[in-house]
Amino acid sequence: MNELQSEKSALRASCAQLRETLVDTGAVEEIAENFFLSPFADKQSFFVYCSFRTEVGTEEIIKRLLAEGKTVCLPRVEGDKMVSALYTGELERGAYGLMQPPHGEDKPCEVALTPLLAYDERGHRLGYGGGYYDAYFAARPEILRVGLAYAGQAVRKLPADEKDIPLDAVITERGIIRFTERALLF
């Protein structure tokens, strides 16, 4: 394990513990509302994580997107890669105990709602270390990358290298933080 990986690994444990203290149903509702008030919600297709443990909940976001007639895809881990599989209502337990569609081809989406343990002022996110989202984003540079987080998950600076693909924006209970010029265009 190199120095960067060691630093990230140490941060993961402390950031996961911090996130546990931030879990708040009211904040989750505010995050969802801020998302639907954002111009990102005007798009037609969304790649949304299926929330797990203390991640910002996405169940209501998924339900509302579907009710609005939007296309919703969920992550499906296949071996060492992640695909965006169309959500049809069916789920099965997949890699890492995460719920995922039981099948489906990779479907491009316009906006990705992304889980994280922490984010910094440059838009870098700290994930769980599998590299699935960074690889997915590297293969799909056109997708708008939007993190969902509690405001308390912000840190000044995260360790990152060229493989770490930054987010375009993060939505918290306090509002939207835009990191890239393309996020400003929305």
Short mmCIF file of all heavy atoms in Angstrom, two decimals, residues 27 30-32 34-35 119 147-152 170-177:
data_model
loop_
_atom_site.label_atom_id
_atom_site.label_comp_id
_atom_site.label_asym_id
_atom_site.label_seq_id
_atom_site.Cartn_x
_atom_site.Cartn_y
_atom_site.Cartn_z
N ALA A 27 -32.42 16.25 7.82
CA ALA A 27 -31.37 16.68 6.87
C ALA A 27 -31.51 15.93 5.55
O ALA A 27 -31.34 16.52 4.48
CB ALA A 27 -29.99 16.47 7.47
N GLU A 30 -34.15 17.56 3.59
CA GLU A 30 -33.68 18.85 3.06
C GLU A 30 -32.74 18.64 1.87
O GLU A 30 -32.80 19.40 0.90
CB GLU A 30 -32.99 19.65 4.15
CG GLU A 30 -33.94 20.17 5.20
CD GLU A 30 -33.22 20.86 6.35
OE1 GLU A 30 -32.13 21.42 6.13
OE2 GLU A 30 -33.77 20.84 7.47
N ILE A 31 -31.89 17.63 1.95
CA ILE A 31 -30.98 17.32 0.83
C ILE A 31 -31.80 16.94 -0.40
O ILE A 31 -31.55 17.44 -1.50
CB ILE A 31 -29.99 16.19 1.23
CG1 ILE A 31 -29.02 16.71 2.30
CG2 ILE A 31 -29.23 15.68 0.00
CD1 ILE A 31 -28.23 15.62 3.02
N ALA A 32 -32.80 16.09 -0.20
CA ALA A 32 -33.67 15.70 -1.33
C ALA A 32 -34.37 16.92 -1.90
O ALA A 32 -34.44 17.10 -3.12
CB ALA A 32 -34.68 14.65 -0.88
N ASN A 34 -33.42 20.06 -1.75
CA ASN A 34 -32.43 20.89 -2.45
C ASN A 34 -32.09 20.32 -3.82
O ASN A 34 -31.88 21.06 -4.78
CB ASN A 34 -31.17 21.08 -1.61
CG ASN A 34 -31.40 22.03 -0.46
OD1 ASN A 34 -32.29 22.88 -0.50
ND2 ASN A 34 -30.60 21.90 0.59
N PHE A 35 -32.05 18.98 -3.90
CA PHE A 35 -31.82 18.36 -5.20
C PHE A 35 -32.95 18.71 -6.16
O PHE A 35 -32.72 19.13 -7.29
CB PHE A 35 -31.67 16.84 -5.08
CG PHE A 35 -31.76 16.15 -6.40
CD1 PHE A 35 -30.76 16.30 -7.35
CD2 PHE A 35 -32.87 15.39 -6.73
CE1 PHE A 35 -30.85 15.69 -8.60
CE2 PHE A 35 -32.98 14.78 -7.96
CZ PHE A 35 -31.96 14.93 -8.90
N TYR A 119 -15.99 15.13 1.41
CA TYR A 119 -15.69 15.89 0.19
C TYR A 119 -14.88 17.11 0.58
O TYR A 119 -14.95 17.58 1.72
CB TYR A 119 -16.97 16.28 -0.56
CG TYR A 119 -17.86 17.25 0.18
CD1 TYR A 119 -17.75 18.63 -0.02
CD2 TYR A 119 -18.79 16.80 1.10
CE1 TYR A 119 -18.55 19.52 0.68
CE2 TYR A 119 -19.60 17.68 1.80
CZ TYR A 119 -19.48 19.04 1.58
OH TYR A 119 -20.27 19.93 2.27
N GLY A 147 -22.49 14.81 -5.73
CA GLY A 147 -22.47 14.08 -4.47
C GLY A 147 -23.64 14.48 -3.59
O GLY A 147 -24.11 15.62 -3.65
N LEU A 148 -24.12 13.55 -2.79
CA LEU A 148 -25.13 13.83 -1.77
C LEU A 148 -24.45 13.63 -0.43
O LEU A 148 -23.88 12.57 -0.17
CB LEU A 148 -26.33 12.89 -1.90
CG LEU A 148 -27.13 12.96 -3.19
CD1 LEU A 148 -28.28 11.96 -3.16
CD2 LEU A 148 -27.64 14.37 -3.46
N ALA A 149 -24.50 14.67 0.42
CA ALA A 149 -23.75 14.60 1.68
C ALA A 149 -24.38 15.50 2.73
O ALA A 149 -25.12 16.43 2.42
CB ALA A 149 -22.31 15.05 1.44
N TYR A 150 -24.05 15.22 3.97
CA TYR A 150 -24.37 16.13 5.06
C TYR A 150 -23.30 17.22 5.04
O TYR A 150 -22.13 16.95 4.72
CB TYR A 150 -24.33 15.39 6.40
CG TYR A 150 -25.31 14.24 6.48
CD1 TYR A 150 -24.89 12.93 6.37
CD2 TYR A 150 -26.67 14.50 6.64
CE1 TYR A 150 -25.80 11.88 6.43
CE2 TYR A 150 -27.59 13.45 6.69
CZ TYR A 150 -27.14 12.16 6.59
OH TYR A 150 -28.05 11.13 6.63
N ALA A 151 -23.68 18.44 5.37
CA ALA A 151 -22.73 19.55 5.34
C ALA A 151 -21.51 19.26 6.22
O ALA A 151 -20.39 19.64 5.88
CB ALA A 151 -23.42 20.84 5.80
N GLY A 152 -21.70 18.53 7.30
CA GLY A 152 -20.60 18.20 8.20
C GLY A 152 -19.58 17.24 7.64
O GLY A 152 -18.55 16.97 8.28
N VAL A 170 -21.85 19.20 -4.97
CA VAL A 170 -22.35 18.44 -3.82
C VAL A 170 -23.61 19.14 -3.34
O VAL A 170 -23.67 20.37 -3.29
CB VAL A 170 -21.32 18.37 -2.67
CG1 VAL A 170 -21.95 17.87 -1.38
CG2 VAL A 170 -20.15 17.48 -3.03
N ILE A 171 -24.62 18.34 -3.01
CA ILE A 171 -25.85 18.88 -2.45
C ILE A 171 -25.92 18.43 -0.99
O ILE A 171 -25.82 17.24 -0.69
CB ILE A 171 -27.09 18.41 -3.23
CG1 ILE A 171 -27.00 18.90 -4.69
CG2 ILE A 171 -28.36 18.91 -2.56
CD1 ILE A 171 -28.11 18.42 -5.58
N THR A 172 -26.08 19.41 -0.10
CA THR A 172 -26.22 19.15 1.33
C THR A 172 -27.54 19.73 1.81
O THR A 172 -28.27 20.35 1.02
CB THR A 172 -25.07 19.79 2.14
OG1 THR A 172 -25.28 21.20 2.21
CG2 THR A 172 -23.71 19.47 1.56
N GLU A 173 -27.80 19.60 3.10
CA GLU A 173 -29.00 20.19 3.67
C GLU A 173 -28.93 21.72 3.66
O GLU A 173 -29.95 22.40 3.79
CB GLU A 173 -29.26 19.66 5.09
CG GLU A 173 -28.27 20.09 6.15
CD GLU A 173 -27.01 19.23 6.23
OE1 GLU A 173 -26.67 18.51 5.26
OE2 GLU A 173 -26.34 19.29 7.28
N ARG A 174 -27.74 22.27 3.44
CA ARG A 174 -27.58 23.73 3.41
C ARG A 174 -27.65 24.31 2.00
O ARG A 174 -27.68 25.52 1.84
CB ARG A 174 -26.26 24.12 4.06
CG ARG A 174 -26.23 23.81 5.53
CD ARG A 174 -24.98 24.31 6.18
NE ARG A 174 -24.88 23.83 7.54
CZ ARG A 174 -23.75 23.68 8.18
NH1 ARG A 174 -22.61 24.00 7.60
NH2 ARG A 174 -23.75 23.22 9.43
N GLY A 175 -27.63 23.46 0.99
CA GLY A 175 -27.71 23.96 -0.38
C GLY A 175 -26.78 23.22 -1.32
O GLY A 175 -26.36 22.09 -1.06
N ILE A 176 -26.45 23.89 -2.43
CA ILE A 176 -25.61 23.31 -3.48
C ILE A 176 -24.25 23.98 -3.47
O ILE A 176 -24.15 25.21 -3.42
CB ILE A 176 -26.24 23.52 -4.87
CG1 ILE A 176 -27.64 22.91 -4.92
CG2 ILE A 176 -25.36 22.93 -5.97
CD1 ILE A 176 -28.41 23.30 -6.16
N ILE A 177 -23.20 23.16 -3.56
CA ILE A 177 -21.84 23.65 -3.69
C ILE A 177 -21.36 23.20 -5.06
O ILE A 177 -21.33 22.00 -5.34
CB ILE A 177 -20.93 23.08 -2.59
CG1 ILE A 177 -21.51 23.40 -1.21
CG2 ILE A 177 -19.51 23.62 -2.73
CD1 ILE A 177 -21.05 22.46 -0.13
#
